[in-house]
Structure formats: structure tokens, C-alpha cells
mmCIF file of all heavy atoms in Angstrom:
data_model
loop_
_atom_site.group_PDB
_atom_site.id
_atom_site.type_symbol
_atom_site.label_atom_id
_atom_site.label_comp_id
_atom_site.label_asym_id
_atom_site.label_seq_id
_atom_site.Cartn_x
_atom_site.Cartn_y
_atom_site.Cartn_z
ATOM 1 N N MET A 1 -23.985 13.310 57.438
ATOM 2 C CA MET A 1 -24.239 14.334 56.423
ATOM 3 C C MET A 1 -22.931 14.835 55.825
ATOM 4 O O MET A 1 -22.822 15.049 54.610
ATOM 5 C CB MET A 1 -25.023 15.495 57.054
ATOM 6 C CG MET A 1 -25.262 16.675 56.117
ATOM 7 S SD MET A 1 -26.273 16.279 54.678
ATOM 8 C CE MET A 1 -27.870 16.065 55.461
ATOM 9 N N SER A 2 -21.927 15.016 56.684
ATOM 10 C CA SER A 2 -20.634 15.474 56.192
ATOM 11 C C SER A 2 -19.912 14.396 55.388
ATOM 12 O O SER A 2 -19.420 14.648 54.289
ATOM 13 C CB SER A 2 -19.773 15.929 57.373
ATOM 14 O OG SER A 2 -18.474 16.274 56.951
ATOM 15 N N GLY A 3 -19.843 13.175 55.951
ATOM 16 C CA GLY A 3 -19.038 12.139 55.312
ATOM 17 C C GLY A 3 -19.683 11.484 54.118
ATOM 18 O O GLY A 3 -18.997 11.121 53.155
ATOM 19 N N ARG A 4 -21.008 11.334 54.127
ATOM 20 C CA ARG A 4 -21.682 10.586 53.070
ATOM 21 C C ARG A 4 -22.249 11.469 51.964
ATOM 22 O O ARG A 4 -22.538 10.971 50.874
ATOM 23 C CB ARG A 4 -22.800 9.726 53.667
ATOM 24 C CG ARG A 4 -22.307 8.683 54.656
ATOM 25 C CD ARG A 4 -23.458 7.853 55.197
ATOM 26 N NE ARG A 4 -22.984 6.876 56.181
ATOM 27 C CZ ARG A 4 -22.512 5.678 55.864
ATOM 28 N NH1 ARG A 4 -22.451 5.305 54.592
ATOM 29 N NH2 ARG A 4 -22.111 4.842 56.820
ATOM 30 N N ILE A 5 -22.441 12.768 52.240
ATOM 31 C CA ILE A 5 -23.043 13.643 51.222
ATOM 32 C C ILE A 5 -22.121 14.811 50.872
ATOM 33 O O ILE A 5 -21.776 15.012 49.703
ATOM 34 C CB ILE A 5 -24.418 14.165 51.703
ATOM 35 C CG1 ILE A 5 -25.399 13.002 51.821
ATOM 36 C CG2 ILE A 5 -24.970 15.215 50.740
ATOM 37 C CD1 ILE A 5 -26.795 13.409 52.280
ATOM 38 N N LEU A 6 -21.706 15.596 51.871
ATOM 39 C CA LEU A 6 -20.978 16.827 51.575
ATOM 40 C C LEU A 6 -19.581 16.560 51.024
ATOM 41 O O LEU A 6 -19.152 17.235 50.076
ATOM 42 C CB LEU A 6 -20.892 17.702 52.833
ATOM 43 C CG LEU A 6 -22.221 18.183 53.418
ATOM 44 C CD1 LEU A 6 -21.968 19.237 54.481
ATOM 45 C CD2 LEU A 6 -23.134 18.727 52.335
ATOM 46 N N VAL A 7 -18.846 15.619 51.610
ATOM 47 C CA VAL A 7 -17.482 15.352 51.121
ATOM 48 C C VAL A 7 -17.487 14.841 49.685
ATOM 49 O O VAL A 7 -16.751 15.370 48.834
ATOM 50 C CB VAL A 7 -16.764 14.370 52.071
ATOM 51 C CG1 VAL A 7 -15.442 13.928 51.449
ATOM 52 C CG2 VAL A 7 -16.510 15.032 53.426
ATOM 53 N N PRO A 8 -18.280 13.819 49.321
ATOM 54 C CA PRO A 8 -18.313 13.421 47.901
ATOM 55 C C PRO A 8 -18.777 14.544 46.978
ATOM 56 O O PRO A 8 -18.293 14.660 45.854
ATOM 57 C CB PRO A 8 -19.308 12.244 47.886
ATOM 58 C CG PRO A 8 -19.333 11.739 49.285
ATOM 59 C CD PRO A 8 -19.111 12.923 50.152
ATOM 60 N N TYR A 9 -19.706 15.357 47.477
ATOM 61 C CA TYR A 9 -20.205 16.459 46.653
ATOM 62 C C TYR A 9 -19.116 17.494 46.391
ATOM 63 O O TYR A 9 -18.959 17.971 45.259
ATOM 64 C CB TYR A 9 -21.401 17.104 47.350
ATOM 65 C CG TYR A 9 -22.051 18.211 46.571
ATOM 66 C CD1 TYR A 9 -22.613 17.981 45.312
ATOM 67 C CD2 TYR A 9 -22.117 19.504 47.079
ATOM 68 C CE1 TYR A 9 -23.213 18.993 44.600
ATOM 69 C CE2 TYR A 9 -22.724 20.527 46.377
ATOM 70 C CZ TYR A 9 -23.273 20.267 45.131
ATOM 71 O OH TYR A 9 -23.869 21.277 44.414
ATOM 72 N N GLN A 10 -18.337 17.840 47.414
ATOM 73 C CA GLN A 10 -17.262 18.815 47.226
ATOM 74 C C GLN A 10 -16.191 18.279 46.278
ATOM 75 O O GLN A 10 -15.633 19.034 45.471
ATOM 76 C CB GLN A 10 -16.644 19.167 48.581
ATOM 77 C CG GLN A 10 -17.588 19.916 49.519
ATOM 78 C CD GLN A 10 -16.964 20.191 50.869
ATOM 79 O OE1 GLN A 10 -16.119 21.080 51.010
ATOM 80 N NE2 GLN A 10 -17.369 19.421 51.877
ATOM 81 N N ARG A 11 -15.881 16.997 46.364
ATOM 82 C CA ARG A 11 -14.896 16.413 45.449
ATOM 83 C C ARG A 11 -15.374 16.498 44.005
ATOM 84 O O ARG A 11 -14.595 16.803 43.093
ATOM 85 C CB ARG A 11 -14.628 14.968 45.832
ATOM 86 C CG ARG A 11 -13.848 14.800 47.129
ATOM 87 C CD ARG A 11 -13.751 13.334 47.517
ATOM 88 N NE ARG A 11 -13.003 13.158 48.769
ATOM 89 C CZ ARG A 11 -12.924 12.010 49.437
ATOM 90 N NH1 ARG A 11 -13.554 10.923 48.955
ATOM 91 N NH2 ARG A 11 -12.239 11.927 50.551
ATOM 92 N N SER A 12 -16.651 16.237 43.787
ATOM 93 C CA SER A 12 -17.168 16.307 42.425
ATOM 94 C C SER A 12 -17.214 17.741 41.907
ATOM 95 O O SER A 12 -17.048 17.982 40.707
ATOM 96 C CB SER A 12 -18.572 15.687 42.378
ATOM 97 O OG SER A 12 -19.472 16.412 43.205
ATOM 98 N N LEU A 13 -17.436 18.703 42.809
ATOM 99 C CA LEU A 13 -17.461 20.101 42.375
ATOM 100 C C LEU A 13 -16.116 20.548 41.819
ATOM 101 O O LEU A 13 -16.047 21.268 40.814
ATOM 102 C CB LEU A 13 -17.871 21.007 43.544
ATOM 103 C CG LEU A 13 -19.336 20.968 44.001
ATOM 104 C CD1 LEU A 13 -19.518 21.839 45.235
ATOM 105 C CD2 LEU A 13 -20.258 21.432 42.889
ATOM 106 N N THR A 14 -15.042 20.134 42.460
ATOM 107 C CA THR A 14 -13.710 20.589 42.039
ATOM 108 C C THR A 14 -13.303 20.054 40.677
ATOM 109 O O THR A 14 -12.375 20.585 40.054
ATOM 110 C CB THR A 14 -12.662 20.171 43.085
ATOM 111 O OG1 THR A 14 -12.714 18.744 43.259
ATOM 112 C CG2 THR A 14 -12.937 20.849 44.418
ATOM 113 N N THR A 15 -13.964 19.020 40.197
ATOM 114 C CA THR A 15 -13.602 18.439 38.907
ATOM 115 C C THR A 15 -14.546 18.847 37.777
ATOM 116 O O THR A 15 -14.236 18.597 36.609
ATOM 117 C CB THR A 15 -13.595 16.906 38.996
ATOM 118 O OG1 THR A 15 -14.887 16.447 39.407
ATOM 119 C CG2 THR A 15 -12.552 16.439 39.997
ATOM 120 N N THR A 16 -15.676 19.453 38.110
ATOM 121 C CA THR A 16 -16.670 19.757 37.073
ATOM 122 C C THR A 16 -17.058 21.224 36.978
ATOM 123 O O THR A 16 -17.675 21.631 35.993
ATOM 124 C CB THR A 16 -17.951 18.941 37.319
ATOM 125 O OG1 THR A 16 -18.450 19.228 38.625
ATOM 126 C CG2 THR A 16 -17.680 17.452 37.188
ATOM 127 N N VAL A 17 -16.730 22.036 37.976
ATOM 128 C CA VAL A 17 -17.155 23.435 38.009
ATOM 129 C C VAL A 17 -15.935 24.324 37.811
ATOM 130 O O VAL A 17 -14.883 24.110 38.431
ATOM 131 C CB VAL A 17 -17.861 23.766 39.341
ATOM 132 C CG1 VAL A 17 -18.316 25.221 39.354
ATOM 133 C CG2 VAL A 17 -19.051 22.843 39.553
ATOM 134 N N ASN A 18 -16.067 25.334 36.962
ATOM 135 C CA ASN A 18 -14.960 26.228 36.628
ATOM 136 C C ASN A 18 -14.893 27.430 37.574
ATOM 137 O O ASN A 18 -15.896 27.824 38.173
ATOM 138 C CB ASN A 18 -15.116 26.750 35.195
ATOM 139 C CG ASN A 18 -15.153 25.632 34.182
ATOM 140 O OD1 ASN A 18 -14.572 24.570 34.385
ATOM 141 N ND2 ASN A 18 -15.859 25.861 33.076
ATOM 142 N N ASP A 19 -13.699 28.017 37.661
ATOM 143 C CA ASP A 19 -13.452 29.303 38.332
ATOM 144 C C ASP A 19 -13.822 29.289 39.818
ATOM 145 O O ASP A 19 -14.313 30.275 40.366
ATOM 146 C CB ASP A 19 -14.216 30.444 37.639
ATOM 147 C CG ASP A 19 -13.789 30.632 36.202
ATOM 148 O OD1 ASP A 19 -12.591 30.448 35.920
ATOM 149 O OD2 ASP A 19 -14.657 30.940 35.356
ATOM 150 N N ILE A 20 -13.568 28.171 40.500
ATOM 151 C CA ILE A 20 -13.831 28.122 41.945
ATOM 152 C C ILE A 20 -12.689 28.796 42.697
ATOM 153 O O ILE A 20 -11.515 28.503 42.462
ATOM 154 C CB ILE A 20 -14.004 26.667 42.425
ATOM 155 C CG1 ILE A 20 -15.260 26.046 41.808
ATOM 156 C CG2 ILE A 20 -14.079 26.600 43.944
ATOM 157 C CD1 ILE A 20 -15.478 24.601 42.210
ATOM 158 N N GLU A 21 -13.043 29.695 43.608
ATOM 159 C CA GLU A 21 -12.031 30.348 44.447
ATOM 160 C C GLU A 21 -11.812 29.556 45.729
ATOM 161 O O GLU A 21 -10.686 29.276 46.089
ATOM 162 C CB GLU A 21 -12.474 31.779 44.758
ATOM 163 C CG GLU A 21 -11.355 32.692 45.249
ATOM 164 C CD GLU A 21 -11.198 32.635 46.756
ATOM 165 O OE1 GLU A 21 -12.183 32.350 47.455
ATOM 166 O OE2 GLU A 21 -10.073 32.866 47.236
ATOM 167 N N HIS A 22 -12.885 29.207 46.421
ATOM 168 C CA HIS A 22 -12.802 28.284 47.545
ATOM 169 C C HIS A 22 -14.210 27.783 47.864
ATOM 170 O O HIS A 22 -15.213 28.337 47.387
ATOM 171 C CB HIS A 22 -12.149 28.916 48.779
ATOM 172 C CG HIS A 22 -13.016 29.897 49.508
ATOM 173 N ND1 HIS A 22 -13.173 31.210 49.102
ATOM 174 C CD2 HIS A 22 -13.794 29.755 50.619
ATOM 175 C CE1 HIS A 22 -13.988 31.835 49.922
ATOM 176 N NE2 HIS A 22 -14.386 30.973 50.854
ATOM 177 N N ILE A 23 -14.280 26.726 48.663
ATOM 178 C CA ILE A 23 -15.546 26.091 49.021
ATOM 179 C C ILE A 23 -15.656 26.029 50.535
ATOM 180 O O ILE A 23 -14.686 25.695 51.219
ATOM 181 C CB ILE A 23 -15.662 24.662 48.425
ATOM 182 C CG1 ILE A 23 -15.582 24.707 46.901
ATOM 183 C CG2 ILE A 23 -16.960 23.989 48.856
ATOM 184 C CD1 ILE A 23 -15.582 23.335 46.259
ATOM 185 N N GLU A 24 -16.822 26.360 51.052
ATOM 186 C CA GLU A 24 -17.110 26.249 52.480
ATOM 187 C C GLU A 24 -18.293 25.308 52.662
ATOM 188 O O GLU A 24 -19.238 25.320 51.865
ATOM 189 C CB GLU A 24 -17.450 27.619 53.085
ATOM 190 C CG GLU A 24 -16.302 28.618 53.047
ATOM 191 C CD GLU A 24 -16.683 29.954 53.651
ATOM 192 O OE1 GLU A 24 -17.834 30.066 54.125
ATOM 193 O OE2 GLU A 24 -15.849 30.876 53.641
ATOM 194 N N ALA A 25 -18.225 24.462 53.698
ATOM 195 C CA ALA A 25 -19.298 23.506 53.957
ATOM 196 C C ALA A 25 -19.602 23.458 55.442
ATOM 197 O O ALA A 25 -18.689 23.528 56.276
ATOM 198 C CB ALA A 25 -18.913 22.113 53.449
ATOM 199 N N ASN A 26 -20.880 23.362 55.761
ATOM 200 C CA ASN A 26 -21.342 23.230 57.140
ATOM 201 C C ASN A 26 -22.360 22.099 57.200
ATOM 202 O O ASN A 26 -23.271 22.036 56.360
ATOM 203 C CB ASN A 26 -21.996 24.522 57.637
ATOM 204 C CG ASN A 26 -21.010 25.671 57.693
ATOM 205 O OD1 ASN A 26 -19.992 25.586 58.356
ATOM 206 N ND2 ASN A 26 -21.321 26.758 56.994
ATOM 207 N N SER A 27 -22.184 21.203 58.155
ATOM 208 C CA SER A 27 -23.110 20.083 58.304
ATOM 209 C C SER A 27 -23.805 20.167 59.646
ATOM 210 O O SER A 27 -23.176 20.422 60.674
ATOM 211 C CB SER A 27 -22.364 18.746 58.175
ATOM 212 O OG SER A 27 -21.355 18.636 59.158
ATOM 213 N N LEU A 28 -25.117 19.972 59.621
ATOM 214 C CA LEU A 28 -25.956 19.967 60.803
ATOM 215 C C LEU A 28 -26.816 18.707 60.754
ATOM 216 O O LEU A 28 -26.879 18.048 59.712
ATOM 217 C CB LEU A 28 -26.840 21.217 60.848
ATOM 218 C CG LEU A 28 -26.119 22.574 60.859
ATOM 219 C CD1 LEU A 28 -27.119 23.699 60.637
ATOM 220 C CD2 LEU A 28 -25.375 22.773 62.162
ATOM 221 N N PRO A 29 -27.462 18.335 61.837
ATOM 222 C CA PRO A 29 -28.346 17.165 61.778
ATOM 223 C C PRO A 29 -29.443 17.348 60.731
ATOM 224 O O PRO A 29 -30.316 18.205 60.854
ATOM 225 C CB PRO A 29 -28.928 17.089 63.192
ATOM 226 C CG PRO A 29 -27.898 17.740 64.057
ATOM 227 C CD PRO A 29 -27.316 18.836 63.226
ATOM 228 N N GLY A 30 -29.385 16.548 59.688
ATOM 229 C CA GLY A 30 -30.391 16.590 58.633
ATOM 230 C C GLY A 30 -30.197 17.663 57.595
ATOM 231 O O GLY A 30 -30.947 17.713 56.609
ATOM 232 N N ILE A 31 -29.207 18.534 57.755
ATOM 233 C CA ILE A 31 -29.009 19.660 56.820
ATOM 234 C C ILE A 31 -27.522 19.796 56.519
ATOM 235 O O ILE A 31 -26.681 19.695 57.423
ATOM 236 C CB ILE A 31 -29.540 20.979 57.407
ATOM 237 C CG1 ILE A 31 -31.047 20.890 57.676
ATOM 238 C CG2 ILE A 31 -29.266 22.139 56.454
ATOM 239 C CD1 ILE A 31 -31.608 22.099 58.362
ATOM 240 N N GLY A 32 -27.197 20.032 55.258
ATOM 241 C CA GLY A 32 -25.824 20.314 54.843
ATOM 242 C C GLY A 32 -25.797 21.481 53.873
ATOM 243 O O GLY A 32 -26.565 21.516 52.904
ATOM 244 N N ILE A 33 -24.945 22.468 54.141
ATOM 245 C CA ILE A 33 -24.841 23.666 53.300
ATOM 246 C C ILE A 33 -23.440 23.716 52.696
ATOM 247 O O ILE A 33 -22.440 23.667 53.420
ATOM 248 C CB ILE A 33 -25.102 24.957 54.104
ATOM 249 C CG1 ILE A 33 -26.443 24.870 54.842
ATOM 250 C CG2 ILE A 33 -25.071 26.161 53.178
ATOM 251 C CD1 ILE A 33 -27.632 24.807 53.954
ATOM 252 N N VAL A 34 -23.377 23.821 51.387
ATOM 253 C CA VAL A 34 -22.105 23.957 50.676
ATOM 254 C C VAL A 34 -22.125 25.293 49.935
ATOM 255 O O VAL A 34 -22.998 25.530 49.093
ATOM 256 C CB VAL A 34 -21.873 22.803 49.683
ATOM 257 C CG1 VAL A 34 -20.580 23.019 48.906
ATOM 258 C CG2 VAL A 34 -21.832 21.471 50.423
ATOM 259 N N LYS A 35 -21.169 26.173 50.265
ATOM 260 C CA LYS A 35 -21.052 27.476 49.604
ATOM 261 C C LYS A 35 -19.844 27.452 48.670
ATOM 262 O O LYS A 35 -18.730 27.160 49.116
ATOM 263 C CB LYS A 35 -20.900 28.598 50.623
ATOM 264 C CG LYS A 35 -22.105 28.794 51.523
ATOM 265 C CD LYS A 35 -21.867 29.941 52.499
ATOM 266 C CE LYS A 35 -23.050 30.135 53.426
ATOM 267 N NZ LYS A 35 -22.807 31.230 54.400
#
């Protein structure tokens, strides 16, 4: 969940979303939360 979904997702966020202060991510079995 972390390596195949959350990491690519966070990389794409930094290039397409404005005014980001910081990003937090938590991965659990079957669930991934990106704040």
C-alpha cells in the first residue's frame, strides 16, 4: 500500500497541487491515508 499506491500518489501531489505546507501518510493493511 505504501510503495505501490501512497508513494506515487504523494509524488504526483507535489507537482499538481498548489500551496502545500506538508504531507503526512499512513499505510495499513488494505488502507492508506494521505493528509
Side-chain angles (χ1 to χ4, degrees):
M1 176 63 71
S2 175
R4 298 181 182 275
I5 294 180
L6 298 191
V7 171
Y9 183 61
Q10 293 177 76
R11 289 174 180 170
S12 62
L13 288 175
T14 57
T15 58
T16 57
V17 181
N18 301 331
D19 299 324
I20 294 179
E21 198 271 333
H22 74 279
I23 300 176
E24 296 180 2
N26 296 303
S27 59
L28 301 169
I31 299 175
I33 306 295
V34 177
K35 295 180 181 179

